[in-house]
């Protein structure tokens, strides 16, 4: 389901997928900037507060940037060389601040082949790849 604006239908769809997941991976685009890091940390806070017993992890390609260290839960971000090496550990992938697979991993085909559900939330108005739920506003 693709949403082009936040409506009363988006939140129930989002929480239906997140509540049904056993393990959630939150990520953002490579070479993350301030809004990307803030997005993954906000999503992490939302989901860990709502589902405290659920396996929810932030996995991001790259190295830690010290300028973000003061953000709450920055220490929860797992910095890795390639997101695609971790996808098999999750049944829900939440992709933030990007709507094209190639922005998240050098192996975008791995996201396309991902066997779980996907949620995309992005503020860029570029054409999006396929997701179970996408909010592109």
């Amino acid at each position: 389901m693709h949403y082009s604006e936040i409506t009363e239908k988006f939140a129930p769809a989002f929480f239906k997928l997140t509540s049904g997941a056993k393990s959630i991976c939150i990520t953002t685009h490579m070479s993350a900037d301030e809004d990307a890091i803030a997005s993954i940390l906000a999503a992490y806070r939302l989901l860990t507060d709502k589902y405290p017993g659920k396996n929810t992890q932030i996995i991001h390609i790259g190295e830690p940037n010290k300028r973000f260290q003061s953000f709450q839960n920055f220490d929860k971000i797992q910095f890795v060389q390639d997101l695609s090496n971790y996808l098999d550990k999750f049944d829900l992938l939440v992709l933030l601040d990007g709507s094209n697979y190639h922005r998240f991993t050098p192996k975008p085909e791995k996201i396309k082949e991902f066997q779980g559900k996907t949620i995309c939330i992005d503020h860029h108005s570029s054409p999006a790849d396929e997701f179970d739920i996408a909010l592109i506003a």
Side-chain angles (χ1 to χ4, degrees):
M1 181 70 59
H2 178 86
Y3 299 90
S4 59
E5 60 185 47
I6 298 174
T7 68
E8 68 279 353
K9 295 180 182 180
F10 174 75
F14 176 87
F15 287 117
K16 182 178 180 182
L17 278 187
T18 57
S19 68
K22 292 184 176 121
S23 54
I24 302 171
C25 175
I26 302 167
T27 193
T28 191
H29 60 78
M30 297 179 284
S31 301
D33 49 8
E34 289 82 353
D35 67 315
I37 295 296
S39 295
I40 59 176
L41 293 174
Y44 179 81
R45 174 73 185 268
L46 171 71
L47 295 174
T48 57
D49 282 357
K50 187 161 180 72
Y51 311 113
K54 198 174 291 273
N55 176 25
T56 303
Q57 298 178 37
I58 305 169
I59 298 180
H60 174 61
I61 291 180
E63 298 292 326
N65 188 324
K66 291 182 180 183
R67 73 180 186 205
F68 303 129
Q69 283 180 333
S70 63
F71 289 6
Q72 183 181 23
N73 291 320
F74 180 77
D75 61 322
K76 305 289 190 212
I77 302 173
Q78 299 172 58
F79 291 92
V80 300
Q81 289 198 328
D82 192 349
L83 169 70
S84 68
N85 296 332
Y86 298 84
L87 293 178
D88 62 347
K89 299 178 182 184
F90 301 97
D91 58 359
L92 177 61
L93 181 59
V94 179
L95 302 111
L96 302 172
D97 198 34
S99 59
N100 302 109
Y101 304 150
H102 72 271
R103 295 200 62 209
F104 299 93
T105 174
K107 298 176 185 171
E109 69 277 5
K110 298 294 184 179
I111 295 176
K112 188 173 186 177
E113 297 165 359
F114 179 63
Q115 296 298 304
K117 301 288 184 182
T118 55
I119 297 173
C120 172
I121 301 174
D122 188 19
H123 65 99
H124 302 97
S125 61
S126 59
D129 287 333
E130 293 294 320
F131 302 94
D132 291 288
I133 297 174
L135 172 60
I136 315 293

